[in-house]
């Protein structure tokens, strides 16, 4: 999540005020359904981890770290925030990042991604050296589940007219074939081992703020998926359920993206198995999304 640090408290207020739930007699229960585990900021990059109230007791070993990747490697306008924790018997790492802008800066973004993965410091967790590489230890290599999201800033490399025709015809394949991030992942130049759910929504950048129109300035930027959610897991323990965007939030030149994922966790002795309960909740959430979503 990218948000101006001065507005963080408004995010908290909004999140908690949306968590009221109705009791059996129709009265409102104002106790939040979720509680804060950890939040961390770097400039206007902010990461908030919340869990359902009844699951807070199975969260442990929470730790956070930040890496600046702006000018000189110290400016905080670019970089990443990471939070790692253990839930049941599984370690989970969440990273949100803001990488360098402009379509020509692919190599620089790749370098920053490697720097983030090798510089986030989680002393409570053992980090292993990637085999066969002359690289520092990678914090994503020895974790059960990793989610890496944010304004990664990779672009679509095609003509503006080609992009507009593809969007208008609801045929995204020409854009996906020319997406820089997917190409870098295929070539193992960055985000090695990470995957992304299929993209079935239009590009999320760059819009005229407050409008549904893509960039009408003199620069005429090519519509691109700069905002992404990637994931990586050991033993294929992450299954994407929903990957979509929010077209109605028009205050920015970006459109937010969101995802729902089914994660298989390692169990621990003497902990009640709640798998059936959470699968029912996840199925219900997916059904509500399908019923309410304006599918592109």
């Amino acid at each position: 999540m990218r948000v101006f640090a001065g507005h963080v408290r408004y995010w908290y207020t909004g999140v908690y005020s949306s968590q009221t739930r109705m009791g059996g007699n129709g009265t409102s229960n104002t106790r939040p359904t979720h509680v804060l585990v950890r939040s961390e900021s770097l400039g206007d990059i902010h990461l908030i981890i919340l869990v359902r109230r009844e699951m807070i007791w199975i969260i442990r070993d929470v730790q956070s770290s930040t890496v600046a990747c702006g000018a000189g490697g110290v400016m905080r306008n670019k970089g990443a925030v990471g939070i790692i924790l253990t839930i049941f018997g599984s370690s989970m790492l969440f990273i949100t990042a803001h990488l360098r802008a402009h379509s020509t800066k692919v190599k620089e973004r790749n370098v920053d991604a490697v720097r983030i993965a090798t510089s986030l410091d989680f002393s409570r967790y053992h980090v292993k050296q990637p085999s066969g590489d002359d690289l520092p230890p990678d914090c994503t290599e020895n974790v059960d589940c990793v989610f890496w999201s944010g304004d990664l800033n990779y672009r679509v490399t095609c003509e503006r007219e080609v992009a507009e025709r593809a969007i208008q015809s609801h045929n995204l394949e020409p854009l996906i074939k020319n997406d820089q991030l997917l190409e870098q992942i295929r070539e193992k130049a960055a985000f090695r081992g990470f995957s992304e759910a299929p993209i079935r929504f239009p590009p999320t950048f760059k819009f005229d703020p407050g409008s549904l129109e893509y960039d009408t300035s003199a620069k005429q930027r090519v519509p691109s998926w700069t905002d992404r959610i990637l994931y990586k897991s050991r033993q294929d323990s992450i299954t994407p359920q929903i990957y979509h965007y929010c077209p109605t939030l028009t205050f920015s030149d970006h459109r937010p993206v969101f995802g729902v994922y089914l994660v298989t966790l390692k169990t621990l002795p003497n902990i009640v198995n709640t798998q059936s309960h959470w699968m029912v909740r996840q199925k219900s959430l997916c059904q509500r999304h399908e019923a309410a979503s304006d599918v592109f």
Side-chain angles (χ1 to χ4, degrees):
M1 175 188 296
R2 288 181 56 220
V3 57
F4 291 107
H7 296 165
V8 168
R9 62 187 180 92
Y10 295 108
W11 279 91
Y12 287 139
T13 301
V15 167
Y16 281 106
S17 65
S18 68
Q19 294 185 60
T20 59
R21 53 186 174 183
M22 301 303 291
N25 59 358
T27 60
S28 176
N29 180 355
T30 58
R31 188 180 70 170
T33 59
H34 293 69
V35 294
L36 178 68
V37 175
R38 177 70 65 90
S39 69
E40 187 63 68
S41 298
L42 176 74
D44 67 347
I45 306 169
H46 194 69
L47 180 60
I48 304 172
I49 302 296
L50 299 147
V51 299
R52 290 193 62 83
R53 176 178 291 275
E54 59 265 33
M55 296 189 70
I56 191 64
W57 60 278
I58 57 172
I59 304 292
R60 58 188 173 87
D61 297 333
V62 182
Q63 194 171 0
S64 62
S65 182
T66 65
V67 177
C69 296
V74 295
M75 295 297 291
R76 295 153 61 93
N77 61 320
K78 298 292 189 294
V81 172
I83 297 177
I84 195 169
L85 54 84
T86 298
I87 178 169
F88 282 111
S90 297
S91 55
M92 300 189 72
L93 172 59
F94 300 89
I95 301 172
T96 188
H98 185 195
L99 304 184
R100 300 192 206 193
H102 308 303
S103 60
T104 59
K105 299 293 185 181
V106 177
K107 291 184 178 179
E108 289 83 354
R109 285 190 280 274
N110 292 349
V111 169
D112 286 346
V114 171
R115 179 181 178 187
I116 289 165
T118 56
S119 298
L120 287 173
D121 182 17
F122 304 108
S123 58
R124 296 179 188 174
Y125 291 81
H126 172 66
V127 177
K128 69 178 182 181
Q129 178 91 11
S131 58
D133 288 334
D134 295 326
L135 293 173
D138 183 333
C139 70
T140 71
E141 286 293 315
N142 200 35
V143 181
D144 293 310
C145 303
V146 185
F147 289 95
W148 191 324
S149 63
D151 181 3
L152 304 185
N153 251 325
Y154 290 87
R155 308 301 173 94
V156 170
T157 54
C158 70
E159 298 298 325
R160 170 70 181 252
E161 293 76 13
V162 172
E164 289 179 340
R165 286 198 300 269
I167 295 168
Q168 291 168 2
S169 64
H170 292 193
N171 177 22
L172 300 178
E173 194 60 30
L175 306 186
I176 291 173
K177 287 182 178 179
N178 290 283
D179 179 77
Q180 291 177 342
L181 177 57
L182 294 178
E183 180 181 8
Q184 297 308 300
I185 292 175
R186 285 193 300 268
E187 295 179 354
K188 298 183 179 180
F191 301 101
R192 287 189 299 177
F194 279 88
S195 300
E196 183 179 26
I199 299 174
R200 298 193 176 100
F201 51 89
T204 59
F205 176 86
K206 178 180 180 11
F207 289 88
D208 294 337
S211 167
L212 299 178
E213 298 292 329
Y214 286 103
D215 185 21
T216 60
S217 73
K219 293 184 177 181
Q220 289 282 295
R221 294 176 180 85
V222 176
S224 300
W225 291 283
T226 57
D227 310 281
R228 313 291 276 266
I229 304 174
L230 307 179
Y231 63 90
K232 178 167 74 170
S233 65
R234 294 194 278 193
Q235 301 178 343
D236 297 324
S237 55
I238 299 176
T239 305
Q241 303 294 298
I242 299 171
Y243 191 38
H244 211 57
Y245 82 131
C246 302
T248 58
L249 297 180
T250 62
F251 56 86
S252 169
D253 56 356
H254 293 253
R255 297 294 180 267
V257 298
F258 65 93
V260 176
Y261 301 84
L262 182 63
V263 180
T264 302
L265 301 175
K266 297 176 183 176
T267 58
L268 289 176
N270 303 320
I271 291 183
V272 177
N273 186 352
T274 59
Q275 181 180 12
S276 298
H277 170 74
W278 292 107
M279 287 187 69
V280 168
R281 289 193 57 83
Q282 177 269 338
K283 182 179 180 181
S284 174
L285 177 60
C286 290
Q287 289 173 341
R288 291 200 302 272
H289 167 78
E290 291 170 359
S293 175
D294 181 13
V295 179
F296 172 72

